[in-house]
Amino acid sequence: MRKTLFSATGLVKQFHELRATDNVDIDVKPNEVHALIGPNGAGKSTLVNLLSGLLPVDAGRIVLDGRDITSLSAHQRVRAGLSRCFQVTNLFKQSSTLDNLRLAIQAHEGNNFRLFGKRDAEQALTTQAIALGARVGLVGDAVLQAPAGSLPHGAQRQLDIALALAARPKVLLLDEPMAGMGPDESARTVELIRKLRQDMAVLLIEHDMDAVFQLADRISVLVYGKVLATGTVEQIRSNPRVQEVYLGTETA
Ligand SMILES: Nc1ncnc2c1ncn2[C@@H]1O[C@H](COP(=O)(O)OP(=O)(O)O)[C@@H](O)[C@H]1O
Ligand SMILES: [Mg+2]
């Protein structure tokens, strides 16, 4: 068994009467894509909010690369190596794609540019921004110079992923990256996630089961805030309880 890179144990989140996260254990290994699936309202986004530090936990412990990050702020968790993308994108829509990339790099690596003179620093930042865009498939002047808000939906999601990558995460949390995408955009995103996993681990929340089955090393199924099962694609597909509550006859 490979060692664990990221883990949550005994996570609980209570919203008044509702236990949205009910004693959840989940772990992610290096270079693994661990998919989290479950019906609407199962508590997937709440779990990502707990993991990323957007919401405080009521109980439980979150550990990244041997470090307890449970009490760190969202910002501190990003610094520690945990980045997330947002279901609703998080871009400066009036600014160009390139400027969004430049700002993200500057936010995380501003200090590194102090060694350069001003003009060289600008040039180095732009070079890195272009490379970061290329990493997620955003290439060419037309795309880089366009206001981010004018890009097609799929390209905005790609940019959102690039902004998360600027922090050089060890673990990337993706909450429904294919939501609202057409088949071509989804296929490209599958390829992108496959490429990213060479450099990091990914916790992927996704409704598109084709994408999940193509990408996931392991799948966890969340139902009413609880993990119903964790296993390989085959184990999850053939698990009768999973079929009953979630997959139905779709995969039979
Ligand atoms: N801030 C909140 N306050 C109260 N209830 C919430 C809040 N956020 C989510 N919930 C409830 O928690 C449950 C899980 O929601 P969510 O995590 O968004 O599920 P999913 O992402 O799996 O669709 C739902 O019943 C939802 O209505
Ligand atoms: Mg959700």
Side-chain angles (χ1 to χ4, degrees):
M1 276 295 264
R2 284 182 299 159
K3 71 168 187 131
T4 293
L5 175 61
F6 179 59
S7 68
T9 42
L11 287 194
V12 173
K13 186 69 191 178
Q14 191 84 28
F15 293 125
H16 305 285
E17 313 290 89
L18 176 75
R19 188 159 281 221
T21 308
D22 192 358
N23 205 20
V24 165
D25 294 343
I26 194 161
D27 70 273
V28 185
K29 298 178 198 306
N31 305 98
E32 178 182 40
V33 177
H34 191 149
L36 183 67
I37 64 172
N40 271 332
K44 303 179 297 295
S45 292
T46 300
L47 182 57
V48 169
N49 289 339
L50 296 176
L51 297 176
S52 62
L54 231 57
L55 281 175
V57 301
D58 292 331
R61 187 161 180 263
I62 304 166
V63 175
L64 174 63
D65 211 5
R67 177 178 178 199
D68 188 328
I69 61 165
T70 318
S71 59
L72 298 190
S73 69
H75 182 71
Q76 289 170 320
R77 290 181 204 199
V78 174
R79 292 253 175 243
L82 181 67
S83 285
R84 71 170 292 179
C85 289
F86 287 85
Q87 218 170 347
V88 179
T89 57
N90 195 28
L91 317 172
F92 293 106
K93 303 222 171 194
Q94 315 291 331
S95 302
S96 71
T97 303
L98 188 61
D99 281 344
N100 272 274
L101 294 164
R102 287 163 50 99
L103 281 168
I105 292 170
Q106 204 162 29
H108 295 291
E109 305 203 16
N111 285 342
N112 298 350
F113 294 102
R114 287 203 192 134
L115 300 171
F116 296 93
K118 191 164 188 309
R119 192 175 306 164
D120 288 349
E122 289 293 312
Q123 189 55 53
L125 183 57
T126 301
T127 304
Q128 279 197 30
I130 289 170
L132 179 59
R135 202 166 166 208
V136 299
L138 295 171
V139 289
D141 270 353
V143 169
L144 292 174
Q145 302 303 338
S150 75
L151 297 176
H153 177 75
Q156 292 196 30
R157 305 301 296 249
Q158 284 169 284
L159 180 54
D160 194 34
I161 293 176
L163 301 188
L165 295 179
R168 300 180 188 271
K170 297 170 186 167
V171 177
L172 183 64
L173 305 178
L174 296 172
D175 193 356
E176 299 190 23
M178 282 95 170
M181 285 188 175
D184 289 355
E185 288 175 334
S186 291
R188 249 179 279 142
T189 305
V190 166
E191 281 318 306
L192 173 59
I193 294 169
R194 208 170 255 153
K195 200 173 69 175
L196 292 178
R197 73 115 71 80
Q198 294 170 8
D199 302 319
M200 68 198 69
V202 177
L203 182 63
L204 171 69
I205 294 178
E206 187 47 60
H207 273 298
D208 179 338
M209 296 309 291
D210 285 341
V212 166
F213 289 147
Q214 283 180 65
L215 282 167
D217 297 294
R218 287 187 300 158
I219 299 174
S220 289
V221 183
L222 202 64
V223 180
Y224 295 121
K226 284 189 166 74
V227 177
L228 178 73
T230 296
T232 63
V233 171
E234 281 321 307
Q235 286 166 343
I236 293 300
R237 287 177 84 127
S238 61
N239 182 317
R241 288 181 68 205
V242 173
Q243 288 182 0
E244 200 178 309
V245 302
Y246 184 59
L247 297 172
T249 53
E250 192 181 317
T251 60

